[in-house]
C-alpha cells in the first residue's frame, strides 16, 4: 500500500472546501445529503466546519459488490424530504466511473424541484464513463489504481485509515 494523500493534506483541504461552501451558501439553509458508507468520515469532518444553518441526512447507495468492480446501483431506504427553503448538497466519497452519482442525480431530479450541488472528496478520472461534474472537489486523481482510506474501502476493509492509499497488486482486506 502506498500513501498518496497524507492526513495533514486531507484536513487542510476539507477546511478549504468548507470555507468555499460557507461562502457560496451564505445566508441560505442547506440540506447536506451524505452517501453511505464511504462518505461518512468526510461528511463528519466537513459538516463540523460549516457555519450555515444545515440539516444533514444520509442515504445508502452501493455499486461495488466484489470489491473493485462496479455493478448495478442499489439504493437502500428513501430520500429525505427537502424543506421548501433548503438548498441541497450531496456529499460523496469518490466519483470513479460516475455511474452511482449519475443514477442518484436521476433520482434527485425526480424528487426535488431545485438545483442540487455535489461535493466529492475524490474525483477519480482514470475510469470515468458517466458525465458527472462535481461543484466541489477535494482532490482529483488521474490514476486507475484502487484507492482506500478516509472512508473508502476494499471489500469493507481499510475505511479507518486517516489517509488515502493506493492498493498494490495482490493486496486484500
Amino acid at each position: 500500500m502506498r500513501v498518496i494523500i497524507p492526513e495533514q493534506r486531507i484536513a487542510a483541504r476539507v477546511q478549504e472546501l468548507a470555507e468555499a461552501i460557507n461562502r457560496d451558501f451564505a445566508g441560505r439553509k442547506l440540506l447536506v445529503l451524505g452517501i453511505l458508507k464511504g462518505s461518512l468520515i468526510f461528511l463528519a469532518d466537513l459538516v463540523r466546519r460549516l457555519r450555515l444553518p444545515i440539516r444533514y441526512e444520509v442515504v445508502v447507495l452501493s455499486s461495488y459488490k466484489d470489491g473493485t468492480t462496479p455493478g448495478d446501483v442499489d439504493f437502500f431506504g428513501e430520500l429525505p424530504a427537502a424543506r421548501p427553503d433548503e438548498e441541497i448538497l450531496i456529499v460523496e466519497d469518490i466519483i470513479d466511473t460516475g455511474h452511482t452519482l449519475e443514477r442518484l442525480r436521476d433520482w434527485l431530479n425526480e424528487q426535488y424541484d431545485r438545483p442540487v450541488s455535489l461535493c466529492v472528496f475524490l474525483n477519480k478520472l482514470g475510469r470515468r464513463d458517466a458525465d458527472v461534474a462535481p461543484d466541489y472537489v477535494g482532490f482529483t486523481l488521474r490514476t486507475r489504481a484502487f484507492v482506500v482510506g478516509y472512508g473508502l474501502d476494499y471489500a469493507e476493509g481499510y475505511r479507518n485509515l486517516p489517509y488515502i492509499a493506493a492498493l498494490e497488486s495482490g493486496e486484500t482486506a
Side-chain angles (χ1 to χ4, degrees):
M1 185 175 329
R2 179 175 47 90
V3 174
I4 58 175
I5 305 174
E7 186 175 359
Q8 297 80 4
R9 278 189 59 208
I10 291 172
R13 186 63 185 135
V14 171
Q15 181 62 41
E16 292 168 357
L17 288 170
E19 289 170 5
I21 293 166
N22 285 329
R23 182 182 57 249
D24 293 350
F25 290 93
R28 298 180 279 179
K29 294 181 181 178
L30 191 60
L31 169 59
V32 179
L33 185 60
I35 310 303
L36 295 182
K37 295 180 190 174
S39 75
L40 183 63
I41 295 171
F42 176 45
L43 175 69
D45 286 349
L46 182 67
V47 298
R48 288 183 298 194
R49 291 168 174 81
L50 295 179
R51 302 295 174 243
L52 306 162
I54 70 160
R55 181 170 65 97
Y56 67 87
E57 298 281 349
V58 294
V59 296
V60 179
L61 299 177
S62 176
S63 63
Y64 286 85
K65 310 300 186 267
D66 67 357
T68 62
T69 306
D72 292 333
V73 177
D74 293 326
F75 179 77
F76 302 93
E78 59 186 60
L79 289 172
R83 297 174 181 155
D85 60 345
E86 289 177 324
E87 297 195 38
I88 301 165
L89 176 69
I90 303 300
V91 175
E92 176 64 303
D93 57 350
I94 188 169
I95 300 177
D96 190 4
T97 63
H99 292 290
T100 301
L101 285 173
E102 182 178 55
R103 180 78 187 272
L104 178 61
R105 183 179 54 199
D106 292 344
W107 284 329
L108 293 176
N109 287 337
E110 293 173 10
Q111 297 293 318
Y112 301 128
D113 185 27
R114 67 196 80 186
V116 175
S117 299
L118 175 60
C119 178
V120 298
F121 178 65
L122 293 178
N123 185 24
K124 188 174 174 188
L125 301 177
R127 300 188 331 162
R128 184 69 46 80
D129 292 331
D131 184 24
V132 178
D135 301 285
Y136 304 93
V137 175
F139 298 93
T140 296
L141 300 179
R142 288 170 171 58
T143 179
R144 293 183 63 84
F146 199 84
V147 295
V148 296
Y150 197 67
L152 287 87
D153 74 302
Y154 171 76
E156 296 299 324
Y158 303 111
R159 288 189 194 277
N160 61 315
L161 298 176
Y163 50 80
I164 296 295
L167 284 183
E168 304 293 333
S169 180
E171 284 184 294
T172 61

